[in-house]
Amino acid sequence: MTPGAPVGVVGAGTMGVGVAQCFAEAGYPVVVVDPDPAALSGGPARLRAGVRMARLLRRRSSPSTGAGVGAAGGAGPGAGAGAMTPAPFSPSHSPSLEDRVTWSAKLPDLAPALFVVECAREKVPIKEEILRQLDQVCGPDTVFASCTSCIPITRLGSVTGRPDRVIGTHFMNPAPLKDAVEVIRAPRTSEWTVRRTVDLLAELGKRALVVRDAPGFVTNRVLMLTLNEAAAVLGEGTADAETVDRVFQDCFGHPMGPLRTADLIGLDTVVDSLEVLREFTGDERFRPCALLARHVAEGSVGRKSGRGFYQYPEQRQHPEHHLVSRGGASHG
């Protein structure tokens, strides 16, 4: 990648902004695109909050050394033009991090990018339309990395003229604080694309865990069933929310119980993911339980709305209703 060329991010919601922060911290200029004016206006504030949170939580440990070192390109089609090199960056210059991220409502502004991460809502038609448009806008060597939670990469790649350049990068939430990324390789994803993606993630200080393509991959094929069943147990009155979560924390050693995890992800995103899994597997176990569906219908979708399975009075923002950003709250 030509020095100074941007990384693209589609979606200015929770996950999109978190992914943008990861690249900016590693020294890359980033262009975040979202057609919704409210998403764009709120994006910089979310970025500043993410930067503050990351710095606060990292003070307990030594600074990361994984940012801005080396190149992520590999030998293969387009080698040389595909080598990704971040612009010079000093983590001590805090204003420069935010200055590295620009905001746009137009996908054509991603034309210079050779790596684009799609962080749209977990709806097949929305993601397919974005990838179709990106395929027309970006050059033939650009890699499209979808941050989908459940949709098979084969399906997404099929709407482009470059399925060999389409890969899954399932970042966890909050993206800047998670050390690993689930990377999904479809049958037609090239070895060059995999190497390029894995090397780029290493520059961000992230370990790539490469898995084969399947609905929900590893993470959400297992997690979404757990979240749905935890909500069902709560709805049936077997235990209250705190007790359900405590069982997982105290008995299994999980840092966070399933109901708080669902609130963090966003209950709307959980329902979207369950519906995608039900569609692509045909398994009725993925049908959202009654309590989960009711919470979403009432707008009580977790932390981002101030209320889900728990109350979050400190949260003032409302659920994001714009199509691109709302899907950004991919799970942790």
Side-chain angles (χ1 to χ4, degrees), residues 170-300:
H170 186 199
F171 286 82
M172 307 297 150
N173 184 31
L177 298 176
K178 298 294 184 176
D179 295 331
V181 176
E182 185 181 34
V183 173
I184 303 95
R185 177 179 188 165
R188 296 186 67 181
T189 304
S190 71
E191 183 62 32
W192 177 73
T193 298
V194 175
R195 287 202 309 271
R196 183 172 174 182
T197 302
V198 169
D199 290 346
L200 179 57
L201 289 172
E203 290 188 16
L204 308 186
K206 310 290 186 187
R207 287 180 290 109
L209 303 175
V210 182
V211 304
R212 293 174 62 183
D213 194 24
F217 326 124
V218 173
T219 48
N220 280 338
R221 183 66 174 264
V222 177
L223 179 65
M224 290 300 155
L225 277 177
T226 301
L227 302 186
N228 200 32
E229 287 300 305
V233 165
L234 175 64
E236 292 165 4
T238 306
D240 61 22
E242 187 66 39
T243 302
V244 171
D245 281 343
R246 274 291 160 200
V247 167
F248 280 80
Q249 292 175 268
D250 297 350
C251 296
F252 300 142
H254 291 192
M256 183 184 292
L259 298 177
R260 287 194 188 276
T261 298
D263 276 355
L264 176 62
I265 296 168
L267 304 189
D268 52 343
T269 302
V270 172
V271 167
D272 286 346
S273 297
L274 286 166
E275 293 289 6
V276 167
L277 284 163
R278 189 161 71 106
E279 174 186 352
F280 282 97
T281 66
D283 192 335
E284 286 298 311
R285 293 181 302 165
F286 291 107
R287 181 186 294 275
C289 74
L291 179 61
L292 190 55
R294 186 168 73 248
H295 273 302
V296 173
E298 293 172 351
S300 300

Side-chain angles (χ1 to χ4, degrees), residues 22 34 58 62-64 71 95 99 104 135 167 197 215 227 240 245 323:
C22 292
D34 196 307
R58 287 168 180 162
S62 59
S64 171
D99 289 344
S104 171
D135 200 32
I167 195 167
T197 302
L227 302 186
D240 61 22
D245 281 343
L323 292 181

Side-chain angles (χ1 to χ4, degrees), residues 7-329:
V7 169
V9 175
V10 181
T14 303
M15 186 55 68
V17 173
V19 170
Q21 180 182 334
C22 292
F23 282 104
E25 287 180 339
Y28 286 94
V30 184
V31 176
V32 179
V33 173
D34 196 307
D36 186 87
L40 290 182
S41 64
R46 282 193 290 275
L47 177 63
R48 288 191 294 271
V51 170
R52 286 195 300 270
M53 179 177 69
R55 286 175 179 160
L56 178 65
L57 295 178
R58 287 168 180 162
R59 284 176 184 171
R60 303 177 188 177
S61 59
S62 59
S64 171
T65 59
V69 179
M84 302 186 70
T85 305
F89 175 66
S90 171
S92 63
H93 297 161
S94 55
S96 67
L97 190 154
E98 293 178 23
D99 289 344
R100 284 180 180 272
V101 181
T102 58
W103 310 86
S104 171
K106 300 177 181 179
L107 279 177
D109 287 343
L110 297 181
L114 288 185
F115 198 93
V116 178
V117 184
E118 172 272 309
C119 298
R121 185 180 175 184
E122 195 68 2
K123 291 289 188 180
V124 174
I126 293 172
K127 289 182 179 291
E128 286 183 338
E129 181 58 27
I130 289 169
L131 288 169
R132 286 192 191 97
Q133 292 184 37
L134 287 173
D135 200 32
Q136 299 300 313
V137 165
C138 299
D141 283 333
T142 302
V143 169
F144 299 151
S146 178
C147 195
T148 176
S149 298
C150 296
I151 302 169
I153 301 304
T154 299
R155 172 67 176 266
L156 297 177
S158 69
V159 304
T160 75
R162 64 185 84 193
D164 60 316
R165 297 287 197 272
V166 180
I167 195 167
T169 51
H170 186 199
F171 286 82
M172 307 297 150
N173 184 31
L177 298 176
K178 298 294 184 176
D179 295 331
V181 176
E182 185 181 34
V183 173
I184 303 95
R185 177 179 188 165
R188 296 186 67 181
T189 304
S190 71
E191 183 62 32
W192 177 73
T193 298
V194 175
R195 287 202 309 271
R196 183 172 174 182
T197 302
V198 169
D199 290 346
L200 179 57
L201 289 172
E203 290 188 16
L204 308 186
K206 310 290 186 187
R207 287 180 290 109
L209 303 175
V210 182
V211 304
R212 293 174 62 183
D213 194 24
F217 326 124
V218 173
T219 48
N220 280 338
R221 183 66 174 264
V222 177
L223 179 65
M224 290 300 155
L225 277 177
T226 301
L227 302 186
N228 200 32
E229 287 300 305
V233 165
L234 175 64
E236 292 165 4
T238 306
D240 61 22
E242 187 66 39
T243 302
V244 171
D245 281 343
R246 274 291 160 200
V247 167
F248 280 80
Q249 292 175 268
D250 297 350
C251 296
F252 300 142
H254 291 192
M256 183 184 292
L259 298 177
R260 287 194 188 276
T261 298
D263 276 355
L264 176 62
I265 296 168
L267 304 189
D268 52 343
T269 302
V270 172
V271 167
D272 286 346
S273 297
L274 286 166
E275 293 289 6
V276 167
L277 284 163
R278 189 161 71 106
E279 174 186 352
F280 282 97
T281 66
D283 192 335
E284 286 298 311
R285 293 181 302 165
F286 291 107
R287 181 186 294 275
C289 74
L291 179 61
L292 190 55
R294 186 168 73 248
H295 273 302
V296 173
E298 293 172 351
S300 300
V301 295
R303 284 185 176 272
K304 60 188 176 183
S305 68
R307 178 186 176 90
F309 294 120
Y310 295 89
Q311 298 275 356
Y312 304 94
E314 74 280 4
Q315 294 294 109
R316 301 296 184 188
Q317 67 191 78
H318 298 287
E320 297 161 343
H321 295 291
H322 43 279
L323 292 181
V324 173
S325 301
R326 185 179 164 205

